[in-house]
Structures are given as structure tokens and as C-alpha cells.
Amino acid sequence: MSEIDFSNKLTPWEIVQIARNPGRPAIADYIQGMCDDFVELHGDRAFGDDRALIGGFATIGGERVMLIGQRKGKSVEENILANFGMANPEGYRKALRLMKLAEKYGIPVVSLVDTPGAYPGLDAEARGQAEAIARNLTEMAGLRTPFVVVITGEGGSGGALGIAVGDVVLMMQYAVYSVISPEGCASILWRDGKKAPEAAEALKITSESLKKLAVIDEIIAEPKGAAHSDPGQAIDAVKKAILKHLKALKKLDTDTLVQKRYDKYAAMGR
Amino acid sequence: MGWFTKPAEITASTPTEAIWAVCPACKAYVPRAEWNNDLRVCPRCDYHDRLTCRQRVAQICDSGSFAEISAAVSVRDPLKFADASGAYADKAQAAVKKTGEGEAILTGTARIDGIPVVIGVMDFRFLGGSLASGTGERILLAAEAALKQRQPLILFSASGGARMHEGIISLMQMAKTCAGISRLQQARIPYISVLTDPTTGGVSASYAMVGDINIAEPKALIGFAGRRVIEQTIKQQLPEDFQTAEYLLEHGFLDHIVHRGAMKTFLAKVLRYASHG
Ligand SMILES: [Zn+2]
């Protein structure tokens, strides 16, 4: 990342490179860095256990939560195991199972989003990738427990949104969140994948743009040089932001919470 | 008469396309009048041609019963988006002019075999039936009308997915429309989804796939990821019937595949079970 000069205002395309930096904290780093305890829960109870999307009981600053998130690896082996953070339907169904469990036990959900997208595979289609994501969107809208989302790295389209319908959506300063990858958009609308920097600009995918569009609620500032230059400080900032919002959300009665969540998404694009 | 029968009068001055319709699937020449009368289904291969939203409404709703509810909700440009071929605002206005519709879905109240419903019908001619802020708003208002009037909601999908030109705002419409569907579920209001050719991407991954009853037309393309993206990712050939309605039925994601000629009768039959008075 040596070519990125942080003393200038970064371009959206430079921010995409930072969001994808393999040295950026991944979910394993967040579990280690901000959780006092983590009890991983496996499986969707129907097909399998997707290693691309993990979750379990976690304690963050004394708060009991259900933590879910996509998993990017730090090594080739881990990335292959975790399918580079691209979940299959069973991953989304496991996430839903854990959300419903959180609702049952009255504990909040914390969702850490970092994925290039849902896995585009033959088996994923056969097992209903579309249905799994659609079901999650519908269930999250009415989930009767507080739900905090943090976009930590890549927020890749429906694969990100499939675990990201929350009461508050936080975003790290150099994360991105988009309906399509800049490369994909460029190859369709510019008919040239090399125009990705232009597409990144036009799609308005940075935290600054998304805050202005009211798609996210708060930007979590990153250390100078971005999260990979000082993961400890970045993880601590995420932890503080999560705890602040959990505290506020827990004061709301559940009917109000769910009504406000509905109003939030109903207002999108109005 | 069949597709092979020549129409009676052909003069040199009559343009070919006025007399013959060419089936996009099997390429057969079908007399135009027969194609139009026959629900735009190919009499040779049963291909279901794409319909405009008004053609669909005419086929499904009782005559004169349809009343549009969100005509005032029009296409928007939240990102002020432009690409190599120009401004989205211009393309959107061209789509309005071409179709005579304000967005990629037409919504309203209607009756089906006497049963009052709220209905939404997507129109693929409008920017590929893409889901964007105006589309999402119309769908949410339809769901809210169904909730308020305690009437079933029926949505006919025909869409290539989320509209890129509205970026993240289009993605958020997936969550927004599903929030509307979630409320119907909680209130036990029936929601029937009809997936027509094509229903892909962000529309398949939101309201289209979470009907109480999911119905599709024969051979409709239905899927999340594009065929080419999948082939490039897994580097293997995909089955012939991959992402067809028949494939989805076999894999458990549809209740029924219903021929266009039987669609209204089928919907009426289901609605009689679904409305708990
Ligand atoms: Zn044909």
C-alpha cells in the first residue's frame, strides 16, 4: 500500500484498495481484540457449516451479544477454507439461525460485514442463494432485538446486505459498500473493466458519501495510515462505537426499536 | 390455426412485422393476430413472451377493476449518476417516454375473480425492470396499502436486478421492500410472488423469493448470479436447464409453474385458501 499517500485526499479507488488490503483486521482479529469471550456456534441445521460466515456468543466490554460476520483469511489456506469471505446459502441460513437465537435469548446482534459478495456458484444457486438472502432481509426487518452493523472492509452488494439490516449501520472510514464491484460496474456500463476508478467515483461507495446519502449512521475513524497500519487502535475504535450504540438501543422498548428500524429502511431513497 | 398457417391477405405494402410475429425462442413465424390473442405465448414451443405491465394487468385483473395507486412516485437520480454513455437522468426520462410508465413497476388495487387485491407488475422494458428508489417506494406503498386494507398482495417480477445507476440506494431497496413484506407476514396478510422471465439478481434475492406462495411462468430465467459470472468462477459447464423455473421447482424454491393461460384461475384458487376472512 506504499503507493497511497495519506496526506492527500484519497480517491474512491484508492479507498477500495485499502478496504481490500489483506493486512486489514478481519473477524478473527476483532474476536481476539474486542471480545472477552467467544463461543462459536456452527451450522445451519439443514445442510452444513459455512466457514465463510461465522458467528457465536460473544462478550464485548461486559455486554453479551450474538456476533456474526464474514470471514476473510490471513493466509492462502485460511482463505480457501473461508472461500475468501464469500458465503454460500448455508452461511446466510446459519446467520439467520443465530439472529433468531439472539432474539429468543434477548441479546443484541452485532454483525461485522466484510465480503466481496455472496458466492456465485452452481451449488449456491441450486441451494437457493437468492432465497437465503431474501429470507434474511425479511427476518432482519422484524427481528425483536437490537441489531448493530459495522461495515469493516468490503460491503459487497447483496452478500453484505444479507447480514446488514440493522438499527444502526456503522462504517469504518476506509471501508466501501456498493451495489456492485467497481470492476463489475465498469465492465457493464463503461464496457471496460479498466474504468473501475471512474465507476468507483460514480457509485459513491465511500463512508463519506454514504453518510451524506444517509445509508450509514456513523463513520468510525481509522488510525492515520488506515486500520492495517495499527489494527489494535482500529479494533478499539470499533469496540467503543459498538458499545455506545448498544447502550442507546437497549433503552428502547422492543416495539419502538422495530418501528424505528422499519422507518429507517422505508425512508431509504425517499 | 397453427404457426405454419399463412394469414389470408398479404400485400406488398404491408410491413412483415405487422403480419408475423417471430418467436424469440424457436424463431417460428406466428401470425401476429394469433400471437396477440394467445396471451403472447408461442403456439409452437410454449415460449412465454415478455409482457408490458398493462398487458399483464389486462390478463390478470377483472375488467375495469385496476386503479393505479402510486403514479405520483417517479424515477429519481439520488447519485446524479453518469457513465461513459451519458447521464442516468436522460436514460430514465427516455424510459418514461418509451414505456409511458413512471417506473419499472406499476402498482394498484384490483379484483381477481371478484377478490379485492393489491397488485404490482414489473415492466422489463423500463431499464430492464431494474429495482431502484422509485421502484422500491412503489412496492413499499403497495405493501402498506395491502396491510391497511387487509387485502392480499400479489407482485409479478420481471427484472435484471438492482439498478446500478442508483448505486447503494438501489441495494437498500432490497431491504426496504422486504421490510414491507415482513409486516404483511406479521399481520398474516397473504403475499403471492409470481416470477416471470427474467427474475434475477437483487430482485430474486429480495421480495420475489419470499412469497407465501412462489409461482413462476414456464421456462422463466430465475437466479441470483449471472450465468457468465458463475462459469468464470467455477470454470465448469452449467446444466442446460440451469436457473430456469423448472430447475427452481425441482430444487424446492417454487410452489408451482403455471402457464400464462391458467394464471388468473390459479391465483383466484389460491386466494380463496389464503384469505382467512
Ligand atoms: Zn416458439
Side-chain angles (χ1 to χ4, degrees):
Chain A
M1 303 305 293
S2 51
E3 74 275 17
I4 292 176
D5 179 1
F6 283 85
S7 61
N8 291 329
K9 184 169 166 61
L10 302 177
T11 66
W13 184 239
E14 285 175 319
I15 293 172
V16 169
Q17 307 317 312
I18 297 170
R20 292 176 180 168
N21 188 314
R24 205 169 163 80
I27 192 164
D29 303 307
Y30 286 101
I31 290 169
Q32 193 164 39
M34 73 179 186
C35 301
D36 313 321
D37 184 39
F38 180 66
V39 182
E40 187 170 0
L41 301 170
H42 293 273
D44 71 343
R45 298 292 193 271
F47 178 80
D49 183 38
D50 192 344
R51 307 304 297 141
L53 207 162
I54 64 173
F57 295 123
T59 305
I60 303 174
E63 293 286 338
R64 297 172 311 140
V65 304
M66 183 67 82
L67 184 74
I68 56 173
Q70 290 98 352
R71 176 190 186 193
K72 281 190 181 174
K74 293 285 179 194
S75 62
V76 175
E77 294 75 27
E78 195 192 352
N79 257 323
I80 289 168
L81 182 72
N83 204 26
F84 298 85
M86 294 183 284
N88 273 287
E90 50 275 17
Y92 293 100
R93 292 182 181 128
K94 171 167 70 174
L96 178 58
R97 184 174 78 83
L98 301 189
M99 291 173 203
K100 299 299 276 183
L101 202 53
E103 179 184 59
K104 180 178 178 183
Y105 293 163
I107 58 176
V109 177
V110 173
S111 179
L112 304 182
V113 176
D114 188 10
T115 179
Y119 186 62
L122 170 62
D123 296 337
E125 296 285 321
R127 294 197 293 270
Q129 190 71 285
E131 193 275 345
I133 292 171
R135 177 75 46 211
N136 281 17
L137 301 184
T138 310
E139 293 293 333
M140 284 184 282
L143 198 75
R144 296 181 64 78
T145 198
F147 199 127
V148 175
V149 177
V150 188
I151 315 290
T152 61
E154 274 183 285
S157 196
L161 187 64
I163 58 165
V165 178
D167 301 301
V168 291
V169 179
L170 315 175
M171 187 163 168
M172 293 190 75
Q173 188 178 357
Y174 299 123
V176 291
Y177 194 9
S178 181
V179 69
I180 185 170
S181 71
E183 293 91 334
C185 181
S187 69
I188 298 167
L189 293 185
W190 275 260
R191 300 186 190 283
D192 179 2
K194 290 190 207 70
K195 300 285 185 194
E198 281 92 327
E201 178 92 41
L203 284 167
K204 301 205 167 48
I205 61 179
T206 64
S207 60
E208 193 185 347
S209 292
L210 297 183
K211 180 75 172 66
K212 279 185 198 143
L213 289 165
V215 168
I216 62 159
D217 299 286
E218 193 176 298
I219 298 169
I220 302 173
E222 294 193 24
K224 193 172 159 48
H228 60 272
S229 71
D230 189 347
Q233 196 188 325
I235 292 167
D236 202 45
V238 169
K239 178 181 176 177
K240 282 201 179 81
I242 290 170
L243 288 173
K244 180 181 85 175
H245 286 282
L246 281 179
K247 197 175 164 195
L249 291 172
K250 284 172 82 173
K251 286 183 185 143
L252 300 173
D253 71 85
T254 307
D255 287 340
T256 308
L257 183 82
V258 175
Q259 179 66 46
K260 283 176 71 121
R261 194 184 306 144
Y262 180 84
D263 294 342
K264 173 188 177 74
Y265 285 92
M268 291 285 179
R270 262 186 194 154
Chain B
M1 294 304 276
W3 55 276
F4 44 82
T5 312
K6 284 191 173 187
E9 285 174 64
I10 303 175
T11 64
S13 60
T14 314
T16 310
E17 60 271 24
I19 305 165
W20 297 102
V22 181
C23 172
C26 73
K27 312 292 178 206
Y29 280 71
V30 179
R32 175 64 70 184
E34 190 180 337
W35 183 268
N36 289 349
N37 290 342
D38 206 3
L39 304 163
R40 304 183 83 82
V41 173
C42 175
R44 185 191 187 190
C45 75
D46 224 22
Y47 170 76
H48 284 47
D49 197 11
R50 289 169 189 169
L51 297 178
T52 72
C53 53
R54 305 272 169 181
Q55 285 169 336
R56 179 84 64 185
V57 163
Q59 286 181 8
I60 297 298
C61 304
D62 294 352
S63 179
S65 72
F66 180 80
E68 190 171 359
I69 52 174
S70 295
V73 177
S74 54
V75 62
R76 302 139 191 215
D77 181 15
L79 306 188
K80 309 279 171 256
F81 190 93
D83 59 38
S85 63
Y88 164 54
D90 296 336
K91 285 171 200 159
Q93 280 322 302
V96 170
K97 211 172 155 193
K98 180 175 94 178
T99 60
E101 305 298 338
E103 249 295 352
I105 192 164
L106 171 68
T107 53
T109 55
R111 280 189 308 280
I112 294 175
D113 213 4
I115 305 165
V117 298
V118 178
I119 187 168
V121 179
M122 300 193 82
D123 196 319
F124 193 78
R125 295 173 306 154
F126 196 105
L127 300 171
S130 49
L131 174 65
S133 59
T135 341
E137 178 75 359
R138 285 185 172 198
I139 292 169
L140 188 80
L141 293 175
E144 288 181 346
L147 183 67
K148 190 159 170 244
Q149 293 155 216
R150 297 202 66 85
Q151 290 169 353
L153 176 68
I154 301 173
L155 295 179
F156 280 80
S157 295
S159 174
R163 193 178 304 162
M164 279 178 280
H165 311 76
E166 295 189 25
I168 193 83
I169 300 295
S170 292
L171 187 72
M172 291 301 128
Q173 302 311 305
M174 294 168 62
K176 172 168 171 167
T177 54
C178 284
I181 302 304
S182 162
R183 291 220 149 167
L184 296 183
Q185 277 183 3
Q186 286 152 26
R188 301 199 299 150
I189 307 286
Y191 164 48
I192 299 173
S193 174
V194 187
L195 298 88
T196 73
D197 186 63
T199 299
T200 60
V203 169
S204 75
S206 61
Y207 54 90
M209 203 50 88
V210 287
D212 303 334
I213 311 287
N214 290 339
I215 302 167
E217 286 192 328
K219 298 185 182 124
L221 170 70
I222 304 166
F224 177 65
R227 196 183 175 96
R228 229 163 7 124
V229 174
I230 297 170
E231 280 173 340
Q232 282 164 7
T233 306
I234 65 172
K235 298 179 175 59
Q236 69 186 74
Q237 279 290 101
L238 299 171
E240 186 70 18
D241 69 340
F242 185 62
Q243 293 184 329
T244 60
E246 292 72 18
Y247 181 89
L248 269 89
L249 182 76
E250 189 191 320
H251 286 84
F253 296 101
L254 299 175
D255 291 280
H256 240 281
I257 294 174
V258 178
H259 191 279
R260 190 171 288 167
M263 186 64 81
K264 180 172 180 174
T265 310
F266 188 87
L267 287 174
K269 192 182 279 216
V270 169
L271 287 170
R272 288 206 178 82
Y273 286 99
S275 38
H276 42 81

